[in-house]
Amino acid sequence: MTHWVRTRKLPLFDDAGHMAGVVGICEDITREHAADERLRLTNRILERSREALMITNPEGVIVEVNEAFTRTTGFARTEAIGKTPRILSSGRHGPEFYRALWSSIHESGQWQGEIWNRRRSGDLYLEQLTITAVRDEAGALQHYVALFSDITELKAQQEQLARVTHHDPLTGLPNRLLLTSRLVQAMDSAGHTGRRLALVYLDLDGFARFNDTYGNRAGDDLLVRISEALRACIEADETLARIGGDEFALLLHGAEDEAGLTERLARLQAAARCAIDIDGVQEESSGSLGVACYPQPTPVAAEQLLRQAEHALYQAKVAGRQRVHFFDVAQEDTQRQRHRMLTELRLALMQGEFVLHYQPRVNMRSGALLGVEALLRRQHPERGLVPPGEFLPYIEDSLLAVDIGDWVLRAALRQANEWKSAGLAVSVSVNLSAIQLQQPDFIAYLQGCLRTHPGLGPGDLELEIVESSAVDDIAAVSRLVAEADKLGVGFALDDFGTGYSSLTYLRRLPARTLKIDRSFVLDMLHDPEDLSIVQGILGLARAFSRRVVAEGVETREHGHALLALGVEEAQGFAIARPMPAAAIPGWILDWRPYAEWATTGTQ
Ligand code: C2E
Ligand code: CA
Ligand code: CA
């Protein structure tokens, strides 16, 4: 090991004060030398360090700084030494901040964190700072050493990165990604606290048109203004996000207060109303809202809740401008059920499970058979015969209704043809659903079906359509009814009396027959109102020269009462229940009307 030695020569003096000689003293200063070396090394490192260094004495007066300090703060070494670190103070942090900082130093000897300071130039900068209290071996405070680096830019880059991945650049609002992560958290805490949250989708009405008319700049301005108005409607712990072009989403708390929620939704709608003046043209924006609440009776995930709110919004938009629609959990279950039923019934159609039963329509007085109504049933492999009321409602408006309707029409025509060939002339009535009539070229389709049975002539087929669906698109239906009439196919307005039954509609609809809904017939015996409805329908029919058929003749008394009013044509259990085609010839042979009916109303 190398030893460092310091030698000194000391003069020796005699008693008289004369120099008598010299002694050499040799000291081993290895340790001292090492300490010096360390100090020089430390100095060099600190001098070169990119981290700024500032050392103060226990009183807080700066005693040393390095080059990086000068580079960072702009203060030269000579300017800094003798001052206190207050020359760097930004004024951005309150006394509370500094108290916490010092108490940490006193307790643990160190503080670490981010702090805003001010350069000599006046610019603010953010630094990552470590302050250490340096004590000697005896524990006495000697210095405070502060090491720091400027992280202003780094921070800005980080924030920029977070902003672009989590925020919408136009409005600065959180985007869908950030909304989703906040939603996950909020749903989690709602699970613990039992509080309810509402996820609200807001979409501007007619924004695409606005953009097209006035340009993207005006569109962007509008979005920014509305985003600011919406921001004013939410609490600090709530989220407003922009999730698409003109779509915003809000995550609101406290939805258990229904009245409060309603009021807040109204405020959001008000915020979406923005008066705009573009080159003198006045426009006002408006928004539609879709709302999904959480928790729900069955567990849902965040993505699902987002879809629900979106779905509710879609329904609000379908209903018109400025609507609010709540996602309906029960309704969704119905939809799921509907979906299952559609699949099941499609399969049933393919496997030939549908059958037609026929119910005779007669003249009650003469007993003559006027026709039969084809009524659909499903021959279920386990449940047996299923009436149409249990499955038709699920398929209304679907293409399956068109396909099943097609099967019904062809099967009924085949049956009518069979009867006719066997010398049995019965007209067959077939029920149509509205969607069948809405198919393009319905008349051509009908003609095609008729052509497959050239033996059938005018009057062998009648079509029935429910009154209420006929008036939904009265112009189109009127045209179809008139064209079918030319082919020799008459129309009957089914369930008449349950729809509009107005003069205006009836005048426009050239249907030959009105079928009085069975509910009025059934109740007319004891309900004067139903009786007067029946009388009213008869009046209408007479005025427009339409035939009338009464449905629901369940008893002799019903027939009697109808005949007294002048109604002769009827269907009902008192005459016959719907039956398989094979039972019809036998029924014709057996059937006799009540003797009393032959005379009622004729005296
Ligand atoms: P609807 O067209 O009014 O058919 C008459 C319904 O009344 C039939 O019910 C029939 O069984 C029932 N009915 C007949 N007489 C009486 C009676 O005296 N009292 C009572 N309470 N009811 C009587 P069903 O067969 O269950 O059919 C119900 C409905 O399903 C039909 O009402 C019709 O709207 C629809 N439907 C049946 N088959 C078809 C079809 O092939 N296509 C379409 N689109 N709808 C059909
Ligand atoms: Ca019918
Ligand atoms: Ca009916």
Side-chain angles (χ1 to χ4, degrees):
M1 178 186 171
T2 319
H3 278 257
W4 291 87
V5 179
R6 183 194 288 148
T7 50
R8 271 184 290 175
K9 286 184 185 149
L10 288 178
L12 279 177
F13 299 94
D14 61 15
D15 294 342
H18 297 111
M19 201 172 84
V22 177
V23 285
I25 299 176
C26 190
E27 273 177 281
D28 186 337
I29 55 158
T30 308
R31 277 179 61 191
E32 229 175 273
H33 184 267
D36 277 359
E37 192 61 11
R38 255 203 325 271
L39 193 66
R40 269 197 296 276
L41 185 64
T42 313
N43 279 341
R44 266 209 310 278
I45 291 170
L46 291 175
E47 219 34 69
R48 303 264 165 88
S49 154
R50 293 181 55 192
E51 258 193 308
L53 168 80
M54 172 175 71
I55 302 173
T56 74
N57 65 17
E59 288 70 47
V61 176
I62 301 171
V63 296
E64 190 57 276
V65 297
N66 67 353
E67 263 176 42
F69 174 93
T70 304
R71 269 201 308 277
T72 307
T73 67
F75 288 101
R77 182 169 178 272
T78 46
E79 289 174 306
I81 289 180
K83 307 272 175 33
T84 72
R86 267 190 295 279
I87 54 170
L88 302 173
S89 170
S90 67
R92 269 214 173 180
H93 305 282
E96 203 41 49
F97 177 86
Y98 290 103
R99 254 201 298 283
L101 182 153
W102 283 113
S103 85
S104 160
I105 293 173
H106 293 147
E107 275 162 32
S108 67
Q110 207 175 49
W111 181 86
Q112 222 171 17
E114 289 174 8
I115 183 167
W116 282 97
N117 272 344
R118 189 184 297 278
R119 300 189 221 276
R120 190 171 185 273
S121 63
D123 290 346
L124 294 186
Y125 69 97
L126 185 67
E127 62 182 41
Q128 171 71 47
L129 169 68
T130 309
I131 302 175
T132 313
V134 181
R135 294 172 189 279
D136 64 12
E137 279 158 16
L141 182 66
Q142 289 194 308
H143 296 107
Y144 291 112
V145 176
L147 275 169
F148 58 89
S149 48
D150 182 348
I151 57 163
T152 320
E153 234 166 73
L154 188 69
K155 192 81 174 180
Q157 276 166 6
Q158 259 174 16
E159 277 171 7
Q160 169 72 7
L161 196 65
R163 248 199 309 278
V164 295
T165 50
H166 285 122
H167 289 82
D168 157 46
L170 176 67
T171 58
L173 293 176
N175 61 14
R176 193 185 169 99
L177 196 67
L178 184 52
L179 171 77
T180 310
S181 86
R182 298 227 182 124
L183 180 62
V184 170
Q185 283 170 18
M187 286 169 77
D188 188 46
S189 76
H192 300 310
T193 59
R195 297 198 64 196
R196 239 172 126 64
L197 56 93
L199 178 65
V200 183
Y201 267 32
L202 184 148
D203 185 286
L204 298 182
D205 301 318
F207 182 74
R209 185 194 53 81
F210 182 90
N211 239 357
D212 288 347
T213 316
Y214 303 110
N216 290 342
R217 270 279 282 290
D220 284 356
D221 286 350
L222 179 64
L223 288 173
V224 170
R225 276 178 63 187
I226 288 174
S227 71
E228 280 159 8
L230 289 173
R231 219 192 302 247
C233 298
I234 61 164
E235 305 287 330
D237 60 343
E238 297 179 327
T239 300
L240 165 65
R242 179 172 174 227
I243 52 174
D246 58 340
E247 255 183 49
F248 296 90
L250 299 105
L251 185 54
L252 307 179
H253 298 298
E256 60 275 2
D257 170 13
E258 276 182 37
L261 179 62
T262 312
E263 195 200 313
R264 297 195 65 186
L265 295 176
R267 282 225 306 277
L268 294 178
Q269 280 197 305
R273 271 197 295 278
C274 206
I276 316 135
D277 184 329
I278 299 157
D279 305 331
V281 185
Q282 297 290 328
E283 287 261 3
E284 196 186 52
S285 63
S286 67
S288 301
L289 304 181
V291 189
C293 291
Y294 182 86
Q296 296 176 2
T298 46
V300 283
E303 272 302 330
Q304 209 175 343
L305 201 69
L306 288 163
R307 269 202 307 278
Q308 292 180 352
E310 196 174 351
H311 187 73
L313 173 65
Y314 171 75
Q315 292 193 303
K317 298 220 78 129
V318 167
R321 295 166 69 92
Q322 299 196 52
R323 302 293 171 108
V324 180
H325 191 93
F326 277 82
F327 179 79
D328 185 342
V329 180
Q331 190 190 335
E332 198 200 34
D333 286 348
T334 318
Q335 265 165 12
R336 232 179 269 147
Q337 202 181 349
R338 182 182 130 102
H339 198 78
R340 257 206 317 276
M341 273 305 260
L342 277 173
T343 316
E344 190 185 319
L345 290 170
R346 167 75 61 193
L347 213 64
L349 178 64
M350 279 161 33
Q351 293 174 338
E353 289 179 15
F354 288 110
V355 290
L356 289 180
H357 280 198
Y358 296 87
Q359 186 179 38
R361 183 175 80 245
V362 300
N363 180 304
M364 289 186 284
R365 198 183 307 285
S366 70
L369 173 65
L370 303 170
V372 292
E373 178 177 6
L375 293 162
L376 181 65
R377 277 102 184 81
R378 176 181 175 197
Q379 188 64 56
H380 194 283
E382 285 126 39
R383 291 169 52 207
L385 207 61
V386 183
E390 285 184 31
F391 56 84
L392 285 184
Y394 291 103
I395 65 165
E396 255 181 316
D397 299 336
S398 73
L399 280 181
L400 183 57
V402 177
D403 294 344
I404 290 181
D406 172 58
W407 179 86
V408 170
L409 181 60
R410 290 177 192 277
L413 285 173
R414 209 180 309 121
Q415 186 59 57
N417 196 50
E418 216 172 278
W419 279 326
K420 197 162 187 177
S421 323
L424 201 72
V426 265
S427 152
V428 176
S429 297
V430 169
N431 295 284
L432 292 183
S433 38
I435 190 165
Q436 284 179 276
L437 279 183
Q438 287 158 14
Q439 296 307 296
D441 300 327
F442 174 79
I443 294 297
Y445 157 77
L446 181 63
Q447 260 174 321
C449 291
L450 288 169
R451 260 200 299 271
T452 54
H453 303 289
L456 293 176
D460 287 338
L461 173 69
E462 191 181 46
L463 297 175
E464 298 190 4
I465 172 138
V466 176
E467 181 210 355
S468 50
S469 63
V471 302
D472 272 352
D473 185 2
I474 187 143
V477 173
S478 297
R479 210 171 45 244
L480 291 179
V481 170
E483 284 179 45
D485 212 73
K486 280 190 228 145
L487 298 178
V489 180
F491 259 86
L493 289 180
D494 208 350
D495 299 355
F496 198 80
T498 58
Y500 298 87
S501 319
S502 84
L503 286 170
T504 343
Y505 286 133
L506 200 51
R507 203 178 50 214
R508 294 181 61 189
L509 264 175
R512 293 181 194 173
T513 309
L514 309 184
K515 291 187 88 172
I516 307 176
D517 188 65
R518 63 179 177 277
S519 62
F520 305 122
V521 173
L522 284 171
D523 295 341
M524 64 184 268
L525 293 185
H526 50 264
D527 187 336
E529 263 181 41
D530 283 328
L531 179 62
S532 55
I533 289 174
V534 172
Q535 287 169 322
I537 293 172
L538 294 179
L540 271 181
R542 247 174 246 127
F544 290 98
S545 320
R546 308 296 164 92
R547 254 171 58 209
V548 170
V549 176
E551 292 186 326
V553 177
E554 279 194 358
T555 63
R556 188 164 49 101
E557 288 73 30
H558 286 106
H560 183 78
L562 286 163
L563 284 163
L565 291 173
V567 182
E568 296 188 344
E569 270 188 57
Q571 247 176 278
F573 295 169
I575 300 155
R577 291 190 173 252
M579 61 190 94
I584 289 285
W587 176 86
I588 296 175
L589 290 176
D590 288 349
W591 189 69
R592 298 284 171 277
Y594 293 100
E596 169 198 335
W597 284 359
T599 50
T600 309
T602 54
Q603 293 95 347

